[in-house]
Amino acid sequence: MIQNWLILLPEISLMLFFPVAMVVNKYRERKTSKTFFTLSKLFLICASIFTIVFYNKSVWPEFWVNNQHSTLFKELLYIVGLAWFYLSSKWFLNKNRPSFGFYMIGMAIILLLAILISARNLIIPVFFVPALCFLTKCMINQHWDENKVKKVSLMYMVFATIFCFLLWGGSLGIWYETNSLSYTFIAKYTSLPGNKSLLIYFSSLMILSSLLFMMAGAPFHFWFIDSISVSILPVCGFLTLIPPFAYLSCLIILMNIFGSISPDLQSYIQSVSLVSLVIGALSANAQTNIRRLFAYGTIYNLGFMLLGILSFKSDAIMSAFVYTLIYVMAMFGIYSVFLAIKSKGDYLSSIDDIYGMSESKPYISVAFLIFMISLIGIPPLLGFWGRLSLINVLVMEGRWWHFFMLMVALIFMANAFLRIIGKLYFETANCHFDRTDKAIYICLFINLLLVLVTILDPTYLLHDTEIIFQKGY
């Protein structure tokens, strides 16, 4: 019994953050945003250490596992969360706003995402996904101007409720057909001849749709774009950077569960991926708000990843993982740049505000340029390797129509980024920028260093991960 509690120490560590933070918030007189970042840092590091220590040990294997797959994605979740919490503390300090709510909700979301990564029974997402949706709504509401975000958060909650009902309905259909919600049992059941009924097919479709909504795949992307448009910068970065690894993990698991009927689901995933590519690439060119532009870039990249993983072979899963990892690294750099560009204490979001920024902030502009080129996928930068790995999958599988669609969408997406580059370097400055915090420069330097190191030897990204995906979930 004691051993079972010890195995749960990663999750217990995250849960202990909440009572400690509430006590500090109530009784500590001199508290700043750095106070709650320090607390979150302590408990995230503890969770990360315990996740590694108790690797491959499970309390209830039919519900919950700690294996190579879950350890990999949890560690990435903690690392990115810790890094973004650090940068977010700089934003709250600069704006002199309380950060207690942001860190409380952020840590709760990370906890639920970690639980979903380790889940091996549909009963867990049935209970925890609605809580995750509610916390996402609360995260969007982290704004001192409640009227500005009220409509967006309400719309999100309405549609989140609909997709939660889809998840519940799909899970109920699976249980009715198989008398079990265990991932392992469902995978075995659907692999047997004659068990691919219409109920199984539609149930899997409903469950997959709920995940695609949370991933913001088109045409379910509207909530993500609107949230990025009105939310404060720490929330924008959190919604963009933190969930991708957890959702990719869930997608891999779901496709393992429904692997035997995946050919019937491929057309659905293909439609979502192509729509995401087209909407993301075309809409990015029409934006004047730089955050919305990169939000549509996120939709485009999701479509790119989904199209690559469509066949669900081990090399395709590996390529999708590498692509997601490179995307998060580049977007982390982009959001670091967003934190660096402010004028008179206000963080800038209009493309017109960055005219001629290279004159006054050359280092920031060069970093911005490198990250955008990486997102476009121009060699020799890291983004090229991510795109090349997915394109190789398409070519080897003879999916030339998909390859053609990718190239067309890439041209439009590249045009949107080139427009920003032109404003940075070939326009006259029309804004006076504030002094950038040294911590932002340090984060940019570390990010660029990681990019350069992996350019020299991309195998750093592939070390042991291919073996993990070959073993399955």
Side-chain angles (χ1 to χ4, degrees):
M1 185 66 180
I2 296 177
Q3 183 184 3
N4 289 346
W5 286 105
L6 289 176
I7 294 172
L8 290 174
L9 275 177
E11 288 71 31
I12 294 173
S13 299
L14 294 176
M15 288 189 287
L16 285 175
F17 166 83
F18 304 109
V20 173
M22 286 188 287
V23 169
V24 170
N25 184 58
K26 184 174 182 179
Y27 294 106
R28 184 182 175 93
E29 295 182 0
R30 296 182 178 179
K31 54 181 179 289
T32 66
S33 60
K34 191 175 180 180
T35 303
F36 298 107
F37 161 68
T38 303
L39 287 175
S40 66
K41 175 178 68 174
L42 174 63
F43 288 99
L44 280 173
I45 291 175
C46 289
S48 177
I49 293 172
F50 289 136
T51 299
I52 296 173
V53 170
F54 295 107
Y55 149 74
N56 217 23
K57 296 182 184 295
S58 302
V59 184
W60 307 286
E62 66 275 15
F63 292 96
W64 180 283
V65 299
N66 295 319
N67 55 18
Q68 288 179 320
H69 178 99
S70 65
T71 300
L72 171 66
F73 284 97
K74 282 184 178 180
E75 288 299 316
L76 290 171
L77 178 68
Y78 299 150
I79 291 170
V80 177
L82 179 60
W84 183 246
F85 279 169
Y86 171 69
L87 287 178
S88 296
S89 68
K90 303 300 178 182
W91 187 95
F92 284 105
L93 283 171
N94 178 71
K95 301 296 289 186
N96 194 26
R97 298 285 180 178
S99 64
F100 172 70
F102 171 78
Y103 283 101
M104 287 287 285
I105 298 170
M107 287 291 284
I109 291 176
I110 289 176
L111 172 61
L112 293 184
L113 290 174
I115 290 173
L116 290 178
I117 289 173
S118 286
R120 291 302 178 270
N121 193 295
L122 277 173
I123 196 68
I124 293 179
V126 161
F127 280 101
F128 285 99
V129 165
L132 182 60
C133 292
F134 175 75
L135 287 171
T136 302
K137 173 187 177 294
C138 294
M139 179 63 81
I140 296 170
N141 276 333
Q142 290 298 299
H143 200 294
W144 52 88
D145 186 355
E146 294 183 1
N147 294 326
K148 191 174 183 180
V149 296
K150 186 176 181 180
K151 182 179 178 181
V152 172
S153 64
L154 179 61
M155 181 188 69
Y156 167 78
M157 204 60 207
V158 169
F159 282 96
T161 302
I162 294 173
F163 282 93
C164 283
F165 275 113
L166 286 179
L167 172 62
W168 296 336
S171 300
L172 184 62
I174 294 292
W175 180 81
Y176 181 83
E177 182 75 19
T178 66
N179 291 320
S180 175
L181 293 177
S182 168
Y183 290 175
T184 303
F185 185 86
I186 296 170
K188 290 180 180 179
Y189 182 89
T190 55
S191 64
L192 296 175
N195 285 344
K196 301 177 180 65
S197 65
L198 282 176
L199 181 59
I200 287 285
Y201 174 74
F202 283 111
S203 296
S204 62
L205 197 65
M206 293 164 70
I207 295 171
L208 188 60
S209 295
S210 64
L211 176 60
L212 291 172
F213 167 78
M214 298 170 69
M215 296 177 75
F220 316 125
H221 66 289
F222 49 86
W223 72 267
F224 179 75
I225 301 298
D226 291 340
S227 299
I228 297 300
S229 302
V230 302
S231 298
I232 59 176
L233 191 52
V235 172
C236 295
F238 187 95
L239 295 177
T240 302
L241 301 171
I242 308 301
F245 289 120
Y247 291 155
L248 176 61
S249 171
C250 293
L251 179 63
I252 293 171
I253 293 171
L254 282 180
M255 295 307 292
N256 265 299
I257 297 173
F258 304 118
S260 59
I261 58 174
S262 60
D264 299 321
L265 298 177
Q266 281 186 355
S267 58
Y268 176 61
I269 300 176
Q270 175 182 294
S271 300
V272 173
S273 62
L274 291 176
V275 172
S276 298
L277 276 173
V278 173
I279 289 180
L282 294 181
S283 299
N285 284 272
Q287 303 307 310
T288 57
N289 183 295
I290 196 168
R291 296 179 196 173
R292 282 179 65 92
L293 189 153
F294 280 96
Y296 277 110
T298 296
I299 307 303
Y300 160 82
N301 281 282
L302 174 63
F304 204 116
M305 184 274 289
L306 288 175
L307 199 58
I309 204 175
L310 197 58
S311 64
F312 204 67
K313 297 178 181 178
S314 60
D315 55 345
I317 298 173
M318 181 62 193
S319 298
F321 170 78
V322 173
Y323 184 85
T324 303
L325 179 59
I326 293 171
Y327 156 77
V328 170
M329 289 175 62
M331 285 303 297
F332 191 90
I334 294 295
Y335 270 92
S336 299
V337 171
F338 289 168
L339 285 166
I341 50 177
K342 61 180 187 292
S343 178
K344 299 178 182 178
D346 292 327
Y347 290 87
L348 306 177
S349 58
S350 173
I351 294 178
D352 293 341
D353 293 332
I354 64 171
Y355 277 22
M357 192 174 75
S358 60
E359 298 176 8
S360 56
K361 290 189 173 295
Y363 178 80
I364 299 295
S365 298
V366 168
F368 202 10
L369 174 65
I370 292 174
F371 293 129
M372 281 191 288
I373 291 177
S374 181
L375 284 172
I376 295 173
I378 297 176
L381 293 182
L382 196 57
F384 170 72
W385 298 105
R387 294 185 186 281
L388 182 63
S389 63
L390 282 178
I391 289 174
N392 281 339
V393 171
L394 298 182
V395 172
M396 292 180 66
E397 295 177 0
R399 292 155 57 187
W400 298 107
W401 170 244
H402 292 165
F403 174 78
F404 173 76
M405 290 293 295
L406 283 179
M407 292 299 101
V408 173
L410 178 60
I411 292 172
F412 281 98
M413 199 68 235
N415 181 70
F417 288 161
L418 289 173
R419 182 161 60 97
I420 298 177
I421 295 172
K423 305 298 185 184
L424 285 175
Y425 285 94
F426 303 108
E427 297 286 350
T428 304
N430 60 0
C431 184
H432 176 73
F433 296 96
D434 295 348
R435 184 173 176 272
T436 300
D437 193 308
K438 290 182 180 179
I440 306 296
Y441 283 107
I442 294 173
C443 289
L444 284 172
F445 176 77
I446 294 174
N447 202 332
L448 288 170
L449 187 63
L450 287 172
V451 170
L452 293 175
V453 168
T454 47
I455 286 173
L456 296 175
D457 189 359
T459 56
Y460 283 124
L461 293 176
L462 312 178
H463 184 61
D464 292 338
T465 54
E466 190 169 4
I467 298 174
I468 294 174
F469 293 125
Q470 287 174 349
K471 289 183 178 180
Y473 69 92

